[in-house]
Every structure is written in structure tokens, then in C-alpha cells.
Amino acid sequence: MIRLLKGVFGDWDGYALLGYESVPIGAISGDIVLGGDVDSGGCSFGTASFGSYQ
Amino acid sequence: MAADAECYQKTVDDRTIILNLRSWYSHPFLAGDWLDLRFGFFLSLTQPVADDATTGLGETMGLPDIIGPHDRYFIGVSKNHPGTGGPLRRPLPRRPGQPPVPPPSPASVFIGFTNATGRFPGIHTGDSLLVNSDAGAGAGTQYWRPANSLNSGWGAAIFEETTARAVIRDNVQQHFPADAGTVAAGYATFLAIQLLRDTVDLKTVTVKLKSSVKSGDWFFSNTPTKESIQATLAQPWPPSVQMGPIAMGDLPNAFYFYWPFRKSRLRIHSIGLLRAA
């Protein structure tokens, strides 16, 4: 059904884009919402995770 | 506790994430019901301490020190497991005189660029290298190129659990500018991955990676922005090598970056995905 609607509403494209321009300068660890993403069409980013294998 | 990464202002328009030595970055995403899903990222390298220096990064990680997946690089997408570090799990401590113990829980999915061909620790599948390179697979000074000593062409794979479902053996080599002054096009490398499937409920996927002679690079840029990613991914997909179609047990849901070397750090300038269909 969703596929059938594509012709009616035209564009099903979506995107999620992330630069880091809103991230504070400095150290990052663990789980963090980085923000600054631009989303469309139901695409998006979740919470980022950082860790180390040292 | 040491930080895992830092945020650095490279240029007025480029604030970048720099992973600390042997640190990983996993970023989950939602992409809806896709048939053609494209991922792109701008990456570069820098020294272990200096945030913007590209000399002296060459390194060989080999026996007896190379023991497992933590000594391979992984740049791509994975199945995210919160709190575990994506597709890589820390192996159990090695007992004296005994072989390394595999990770307690096998990884599930990784698709992307890597010099790994097997993930169980204890099986030596080549030294992990970062070498000075030309824009292909030869010697040079313009780029740093990660490689595997057994086959310098190994550069991408699909892993599921501890099994390599597919390996690309040549012509997807990745190059990172070694000296921005000698790489006129820019300091950051654009790499991308395309996933295709026939219907939205299928876990059978085909993976395409841009491929030319000894290179999987798309282009180099001094403006590695998310807007550039969007515009690039919307273009027709270039000539590629293909993995699959492969029936996967699960599909990736996160960007994943891990850089194993101790003489260089990975910088991530921007990331993005496009659901093209």
C-alpha cells in the first residue's frame, strides 16, 4: 500500500546528514547526542557511542 | 578515564571528530523502508597527538602482537549493539601459553572497508599496515593507504557473526592525503557504500562500492560538509564492485568507525545517508 502511494505523493527519498558544527570543542566519551543533523523523510540519527579497545 | 575522541575545528567550515588511538565510534540511524540506501563519509588522518599533521603515520602491526579484530580497521556500517562497541567485541584475556579466546559474544554484521579477512583472534591473516602510497597500490608520498601484508588489495568485506560473507580483493583501496599541500583536491577522502534489496522486507542485500584501478576513493575535498555528501549521494552511482546478493541474518543500523593504529588517528568530518528508493 505504501508503495502504491509513491506515485501520488511523488518523492519517497529521505536523508540524514550530520556535520559536527554544533559539537563543543574538546573531549568526547561514552554515549552522546551529537546534534547538528539534518533529517528528512523519516531518516534520522540516534545517540552516538564512543569507546576504546586500548 | 581517557576520552575516546575529541572535537576539533579543522577550518572555519569544518569541525571534525578525531578518534583517539584504538577507539571506536558507532552512530545508529533510522532509514525507513529502503530499496536503495546510500552511505557517505568524509575521512582523513592525523598524528597521535597533533590534531592536524599527516607526516610519519606509517605503521606495521604484525606477529606476535597482532591478535584479533582490534588490530584491523573498520569503516562502514554495522549492527549496533548498545554498550558493546558495534561489531567488535573485546576478547577475553589470554591465558599464559594458551591461544587467545574469541570474544564472548560474536559480532553480528559489518559492511564496509577493512583489511580484515577473519575476525577470530589467534588466526593471523596478514599484518595490518598503513603505508605511504601513490593514488593506486604503489609507493608514493601523497597518501596513506591501509593494507594487509598478505594481499594489498584486500579492502572491503561483509562480515556476519565471525564469518566473512564476502571480501573484495582489489580496486577498492582507500587513500588518505599525506600532505594537503601535495593533494590539490583536498585533505579529506570521500568514501561511500550502497545497499540494494528487491523488497523492503528482505534481508538479502547487494552491496556496491565505487571501484576504479586500485582505488575506492570517490574524490578529495577541502570542504567535507554534509551538504556535499547529500549532493554526491544523489548522483548516479559510479562504476562499482559488487558483493552479494547475500541473505543476511540482520542488517546494519549504524555507522561504524574503528582505527587500530597507534601512530595515527582517524578524523571523521561528516557522515550522511540517502534513501534513494
Side-chain angles (χ1 to χ4, degrees):
Chain A
M1 185 62 184
I2 291 175
R3 287 288 137 192
L4 292 175
L5 290 174
K6 179 171 182 175
V8 177
F9 293 101
D11 190 0
W12 282 94
D13 291 353
Y15 56 81
L17 308 164
L18 179 63
Y20 302 102
E21 56 271 17
S22 64
V23 178
I25 299 294
I28 298 171
S29 284
D31 296 343
I32 181 172
V33 177
L34 293 177
D37 52 318
V38 177
D39 306 326
S40 169
C43 298
S44 63
F45 285 102
T47 300
S49 296
F50 293 85
S52 172
Y53 288 105
Q54 294 182 53
Chain B
M1 184 180 72
D4 302 313
E6 65 172 294
C7 186
Y8 167 70
Q9 194 77 40
K10 160 65 177 165
T11 69
V12 172
D13 298 320
D14 179 17
R15 187 170 289 196
T16 180
I17 299 293
I18 306 177
L19 297 186
N20 283 346
L21 297 179
R22 294 169 69 81
S23 293
W24 50 264
Y25 164 35
S26 178
H27 208 148
F29 60 79
L30 294 175
D33 291 337
W34 56 268
L35 300 176
D36 177 348
L37 187 57
R38 305 173 180 192
F39 306 92
F41 21 81
F42 280 109
L43 306 172
S44 65
L45 301 179
T46 189
Q47 292 178 353
V49 176
D51 292 333
D52 195 22
T54 57
T55 58
L57 308 186
E59 187 171 352
T60 297
M61 302 176 67
L63 291 172
D65 296 327
I66 187 165
I67 60 170
H70 319 92
D71 301 315
R72 308 293 183 187
Y73 73 97
F74 292 88
I75 294 171
V77 291
S78 75
K79 177 68 176 179
N80 184 55
H81 300 277
T84 65
L88 300 178
R89 313 287 178 86
R90 180 183 294 278
L92 298 174
R94 181 196 293 218
R95 296 177 180 174
Q98 297 295 314
V101 180
S105 178
S108 56
V109 172
F110 171 81
I111 298 174
F113 303 97
T114 180
N115 61 351
T117 58
R119 293 230 306 276
F120 270 125
I123 301 173
H124 184 252
T125 50
D127 292 350
S128 204
L129 309 176
L130 184 64
V131 299
N132 235 179
S133 177
D134 59 11
T141 59
Q142 288 191 318
Y143 300 93
W144 295 107
R145 172 170 49 84
N148 185 306
S149 65
L150 293 183
N151 183 335
S152 66
W154 280 343
I158 298 175
F159 282 105
E160 190 164 28
E161 305 297 342
T162 53
T163 302
R165 302 293 307 277
V167 176
I168 298 295
R169 302 190 181 279
D170 205 2
N171 295 328
V172 292
Q173 286 90 339
Q174 307 98 56
H175 303 82
F176 301 99
D179 181 341
T182 64
V183 182
Y187 59 81
T189 307
F190 183 77
L191 299 169
I193 300 166
Q194 182 185 37
L195 304 187
L196 299 166
R197 58 181 173 178
D198 291 336
T199 64
V200 298
D201 55 351
L202 273 183
K203 291 183 179 177
T204 298
V205 298
T206 297
V207 179
K208 291 190 175 183
L209 306 172
K210 182 261 180 188
S211 177
S212 57
V213 178
K214 307 298 181 187
S215 176
D217 314 321
W218 282 53
F219 60 93
F220 303 94
S221 174
N222 284 323
T223 53
T225 64
K226 59 181 182 289
E227 291 80 10
S228 178
I229 291 177
Q230 182 180 22
T232 303
L233 292 182
Q235 300 301 313
W237 200 258
S240 299
V241 289
Q242 176 175 320
M243 296 186 283
I246 293 176
M248 306 286 291
D250 216 335
L251 295 176
N253 65 352
F255 286 81
Y256 187 78
F257 303 93
Y258 175 69
W259 194 249
F261 299 102
R262 293 182 171 89
K263 295 182 179 178
S264 59
R265 291 181 293 161
L266 182 67
R267 304 193 299 191
I268 302 109
H269 300 273
S270 55
I271 62 176
L273 65 85
L274 174 71
R275 188 183 66 228

